[in-house]
Amino acid sequence: MRTIILSLTFLFAALSAWGQRQCPYCNGTGKIVKNISVSQYGINRETKVKCSECGIYYLPSTGHSHIHCSHCGGTGRMSGSSGSSRHSGETYDPDSPEGIWAKGVAMTIKYGLPYTDEEKAAVERLGKSSPTMAQLWIKYRNILNMGTSYFNEQNAKIGYRWDKVASVDIIKNGYDKQLAEIAPSLELPSDLYAIYQRLYKSYQDAYTTYRNNTNASESLQNLQNRLDDYILQQNLLY
């Protein structure tokens, strides 16, 4: 009898271990890295410091820290059946400032105007000679990025919703007005001006593509409405 009980105990322990696996998001550590901001691209002089927890070197302005992994709840293990678990003390909130920032970065990568090494270097050079102008450029390109992201995202979802050309133009005019308020004060060196031309073209192309597709969708919808009205009228006559 004792042998049977011991065998069952070992069996349950084995099944428990088999039912869990190492969390692939934190590699079993229970923690993940969180950066709450981007570096200042040379505008503010910084020296990299070494993280005492993971050993990497980082710029203090990035807000580098370690938080409980939201996928395993900080345990480092995940259930084989449920796939993930939640921890009541979870510190990551997707609606927090850093969560909103992270979603913004993801949107920029997917739909907007991601920073390149070339632009980063150009902004660093401008930041050394004119920090105010560098900040003004960042403000200007953020508006370009928001507009580009919006038009590209809406264009990607055009099959799931209907929009009006007039509405698209109103939104474009809103972005253009914000850009026009900054443009007279913006003086860019030749290297950054060439980057500006490429980014502005991407912004215009995103708008044009979405407007053209919206116009085609609107025309198709109007045609469908007329067809529906015709069918309805024919049904009323018979």
Side-chain angles (χ1 to χ4, degrees), residues 223-236:
L223 181 61
Q224 182 65 52
N225 290 338
R226 289 197 296 271
L227 179 60
D228 291 342
D229 289 341
Y230 174 79
I231 294 174
L232 178 61
Q233 292 296 327
Q234 292 300 310
N235 290 336
L236 291 175

Side-chain angles (χ1 to χ4, degrees), residues 140-179:
Y140 186 90
R141 76 99 62 204
N142 282 343
I143 298 171
L144 279 181
N145 180 59
M146 286 189 294
T148 305
S149 295
Y150 175 81
F151 293 127
N152 281 335
E153 181 186 10
Q154 297 307 309
N155 191 54
K157 299 177 179 178
I158 199 168
Y160 303 96
R161 59 190 299 275
W162 294 102
D163 207 345
K164 301 286 187 182
V165 171
S167 299
V168 177
D169 289 342
I170 290 174
I171 293 171
K172 175 64 159 52
N173 290 336
Y175 285 121
D176 285 347
K177 183 178 180 180
Q178 295 180 65
L179 294 171

Side-chain angles (χ1 to χ4, degrees), residues 204-221:
Q204 288 285 5
D205 288 347
Y207 157 71
T208 301
T209 300
Y210 180 50
R211 190 185 191 280
N212 290 342
N213 289 338
T214 298
N215 183 59
S217 297
E218 189 175 2
S219 299
L220 183 62
Q221 181 66 22

